[in-house]
Amino acid sequence: SQQGEEDPQALSIQEGENATMNCSYKTSINNLQWYRQNSGRGLVHLILIRSNEREKHSGRLRVTLDTSKKSSSLLITASRAADTASYFCATDEDNTDKLIFGTGTRLQVFP
Amino acid sequence: GAGVSQSPSNKVTEKGKDVELRCDPISGHTALYWYRQSLGQGLEFLIYFQGNSAPDKSGLPSDRFSAERTGGSVSTLTIQRTQQEDSAVYLCASSPQGIPNTGELFFGEGSRLTVL
């Protein structure tokens, strides 16, 4: 089952621009996470935001969470070509140990 | 090793054959997860383990799929009588305790399965 739906499905920007990706989910959660996947590789954890938090920062990453709307956004500021990857949100479904991933956003950053 | 290790990294098999995919989690991680990712798609949850037990097997696509974990460490995902639609990358991940406690999953590089 897909808990998270992300949009856009694909995003192309120039280096230096900001990239914003959105994620919506369906059930109550303990936390929401964002992961990055380079082509043909495994996923790497970027940031986790708990259900009682509204915003979190890590370097050039900013994540917001709106539990009333069941949505989150990931902002990458001052993007670099090396940020080119797929980005996935993930939530613990119905407060279980089951982590469900969204459909992903493919980000292409042109130098 | 330092990270999650999966083997084989690539497997090509003929339709109808059985395959076994192996996952070595990070030492001491009690939770272990299997996901399937078809080309260009998101991750499909298959199964997870807490220790050696699997509280939720609901993601396994059919009874041709099974998984086990022994000694709270290595896990094997077995696909019997493989079909072409089983072709995908199978990703394993581990976590120190479990989602509500720690959240972060550490992923292996995946096993790419191609069924001819």
Side-chain angles (χ1 to χ4, degrees):
Chain A
S1 61
Q2 289 285 6
Q3 163 78 310
E5 296 290 333
E6 281 139 275
D7 81 274
Q9 289 188 328
L11 179 62
S12 294
I13 59 175
Q14 296 288 328
E15 260 188 333
E17 294 180 339
N18 295 341
T20 300
M21 291 159 265
N22 303 295
C23 166
S24 60
Y25 57 93
K26 298 174 184 173
T27 68
S28 60
I29 60 172
N30 282 313
N31 61 61
L32 184 144
Q33 304 178 49
W34 285 90
Y35 286 79
R36 166 195 168 125
Q37 184 181 35
N38 284 14
S39 180
R41 307 296 300 274
L43 279 75
V44 175
H45 179 264
L46 293 176
I47 195 166
L48 179 152
I49 186 166
R50 301 204 179 276
S51 59
N52 61 354
E53 297 175 311
R54 292 296 167 259
E55 187 170 314
K56 200 161 183 179
H57 297 254
S58 176
R60 292 184 296 112
L61 305 180
R62 174 184 160 230
V63 169
T64 63
L65 178 63
D66 187 335
T67 53
S68 67
K69 295 181 179 177
K70 291 186 166 58
S71 68
S72 173
S73 67
L74 171 67
L75 168 68
I76 304 174
T77 60
S79 63
R80 305 166 183 169
D83 295 329
T84 295
S86 290
Y87 292 82
F88 295 89
C89 69
T91 55
D92 51 330
E93 183 179 85
D94 286 336
N95 299 316
T96 69
D97 279 339
K98 188 172 170 178
L99 193 65
I100 301 297
F101 284 79
T103 50
T105 293
R106 293 187 306 279
L107 173 66
Q108 175 83 49
V109 181
F110 292 98
Chain B
V4 177
S5 177
Q6 291 189 246
S7 60
S9 55
N10 274 288
K11 176 71 176 179
V12 180
T13 190
E14 292 180 347
K15 178 182 173 181
K17 301 279 190 182
D18 296 352
V19 296
E20 279 190 358
L21 307 176
R22 175 188 168 105
C23 174
D24 277 285
I26 293 173
S27 178
H29 282 195
T30 58
L32 186 147
Y33 298 75
W34 283 100
Y35 292 88
R36 179 169 72 174
Q37 185 176 33
S38 299
L39 186 63
Q41 301 298 309
L43 275 70
E44 176 188 2
F45 171 83
L46 298 180
I47 189 171
Y48 83 93
F49 291 88
Q50 274 290 0
N52 292 334
S53 65
D56 188 338
K57 301 180 181 179
S58 63
L60 294 176
S62 73
D63 58 8
R64 296 186 296 104
F65 287 72
S66 63
E68 65 174 15
R69 188 180 186 195
T70 55
S73 182
V74 173
S75 176
T76 302
L77 178 68
T78 301
I79 309 172
Q80 296 179 308
R81 305 181 301 281
T82 52
Q83 304 293 313
Q84 289 182 331
E85 61 263 28
D86 299 334
S87 296
V89 176
Y90 290 82
L91 291 162
C92 176
S94 68
S95 179
Q97 294 179 42
I99 295 304
N101 295 319
T102 65
E104 178 180 354
L105 296 191
F106 296 81
F107 278 83
E109 295 293 293
S111 291
R112 180 178 298 278
L113 174 65
T114 303
V115 182
L116 301 176

